Amino acid sequence: MGIVCKMKLIELEKIMEQLKTDFIGQEIKYFAEATSTNDVAKELAAKGVKEGTIVLAETQTQGRGRLGRRWLSPEGGIWLSVILRPKIPAKDFYQLTFMAAVAVAKTIRRMFKLNAEIKWPNDVLVNDRKVCGILTESSVRGDAVDFAVIGIGVNANVDLASFPKDLRSSVTSLEAEVKGEVGRERFLCALLKELENYYTMIQQKKFEFVLEEWKSLTTLFGAHVEVTSFEGKVRGLAVGVNRNGGLEVLLKNGTIRKVLSGDVVKQKQQRRPLK
Ligand code: BTN
């Protein structure tokens, strides 16, 4: 039996008409249903497809999130993976995650005038609810990145009622925020253009510009946070990010703890101005 999709499908012709990039998205692998676009993209990248090729699916049956979590991918979303071949050392890989979060937040702000913010490391929130998650994966050869897959999941027009009850208070969709269906093709074209701009900066070794944008889009600094990582919980004041993309947390005892991965929750305490 075929896949039954009630939602309007993404129109590839519209994307090709509106896309203003040089290489990102110029080649599109489109699926009505995929396991995970990141898995498909990794296979294609290993076979040598062109840099900038994107994998796009209407739904995913095995969508993956950070820290080994499941990522719900019903119809109406934008489930996208971008294949890149960056000329950067493996230690700078995190730069790609930062640039993707900046590109998504900027696109949402520009297109819908919504106050999109980045929550470390790479969630994009609107009104404190998650609207987009990013999962970057890589294949490394020696010290260099052979290819990277930037997986981006945007709850564009997804039906929030289809999410489990315990998630509903922490997620949102673009449609819910703008109170109307959003044009996924237009959003995609704008996002791919932003991605290409920021990616070019990274390739030109100008990550500091991306980082400045990232910092201006996060509300975390100066906030009391609790970070849960594989090593346990850390509580303190979020004071910055270091050169590896790790979050710097000022502990009560005055030392700074660097956390490389985990989940961060803002505590309900007054923000403290940072000096
Ligand atoms: C997270 O916030 O945990 C990251 C979620 C990333 C989801 C996207 S959807 C497209 C791509 N394919 C996947 O399986 N995951 C990413």
Side-chain angles (χ1 to χ4, degrees):
M1 214 174 78
I3 301 148
V4 185
C5 208
K6 284 180 263 123
M7 194 79 56
K8 252 195 312 187
L9 299 179
I10 295 171
E11 290 180 51
L12 297 187
E13 309 74 55
K14 271 197 192 165
I15 298 181
M16 293 332 281
E17 267 165 38
Q18 295 173 22
L19 193 63
K20 294 206 178 74
T21 58
D22 288 332
F23 62 101
I24 295 189
Q26 290 298 334
E27 187 78 43
I28 302 178
K29 308 283 182 195
Y30 168 83
F31 299 86
E33 182 183 278
T35 48
S36 151
T37 54
N38 266 28
D39 291 344
V40 176
K42 282 197 282 183
E43 269 174 38
L44 290 169
K47 285 186 188 150
V49 295
K50 268 200 231 141
E51 174 166 70
T53 301
I54 64 167
V55 180
L56 196 57
E58 297 285 353
T59 59
Q60 299 183 114
T61 52
Q62 290 165 45
R64 293 186 288 109
R66 284 193 319 120
L67 310 171
R69 294 186 188 128
R70 206 173 141 217
W71 180 261
L72 292 171
S73 320
E75 58 188 47
I78 295 175
W79 320 126
L80 160 78
S81 298
V82 182
I83 297 168
L84 297 175
R85 302 188 183 280
K87 293 180 188 62
I88 55 172
K91 69 171 178 47
D92 290 343
F93 180 68
Y94 76 97
Q95 296 183 356
L96 300 175
T97 310
F98 275 47
M99 80 155 192
V102 169
V104 172
K106 281 268 179 187
T107 307
I108 295 177
R109 280 177 177 237
R110 286 226 171 95
M111 192 165 275
F112 306 112
K113 312 283 173 261
L114 292 170
N115 203 16
E117 289 166 354
I118 300 172
K119 191 179 90 168
W120 179 89
N122 45 17
D123 289 348
V124 180
L125 313 184
V126 173
N127 290 325
D128 280 330
R129 290 168 186 239
K130 183 157 166 172
V131 73
C132 166
I134 294 163
L135 177 67
T136 17
E137 298 182 288
S138 67
S139 160
V140 170
R141 198 171 289 176
D143 289 342
V145 175
D146 180 21
F147 65 78
V149 167
I150 319 277
I152 302 177
V154 185
N155 297 333
N157 298 317
V158 298
D159 177 8
L160 294 173
S162 70
F163 281 66
K165 272 201 182 113
D166 58 323
L167 277 184
R168 281 184 215 158
S169 59
S170 55
V171 296
T172 190
S173 68
L174 293 176
E175 183 180 36
E177 297 300 326
V178 300
K179 300 185 179 50
E181 193 180 321
V182 301
R184 287 186 291 168
E185 296 85 356
R186 201 162 78 86
F187 182 82
L188 250 169
C189 289
L191 172 61
L192 296 176
K193 182 71 186 161
E194 290 285 2
L195 274 173
E196 191 169 284
N197 290 344
Y198 288 111
Y199 179 57
T200 306
M201 287 184 198
I202 290 180
Q203 290 286 63
Q204 293 171 345
K205 311 234 173 316
K206 291 179 183 155
F207 177 66
E208 64 275 18
F209 293 107
V210 184
L211 188 60
E212 279 317 303
E213 293 270 25
W214 189 93
K215 286 181 182 167
S216 73
L217 290 163
T218 185
T219 51
L220 221 49
F221 299 155
H224 289 272
V225 293
E226 181 179 90
V227 192
T228 309
S229 72
F230 289 124
E231 292 160 359
K233 285 189 193 305
V234 174
R235 279 205 198 96
L237 195 69
V239 287
V241 283
N242 65 6
R243 278 291 300 154
N244 303 319
L247 184 68
E248 295 175 333
V249 182
L250 176 63
L251 307 181
K252 253 194 185 150
N253 66 10
T255 59
I256 289 189
R257 177 79 72 85
K258 291 170 189 123
V259 193
L260 276 179
S261 72
D263 273 327
V264 57
V265 177
K266 270 199 234 173
Q267 305 290 283
K268 288 195 176 65
Q269 263 170 311
Q270 287 266 295
R271 280 166 67 96
R272 241 170 55 190
L274 293 177
K275 288 190 191 118

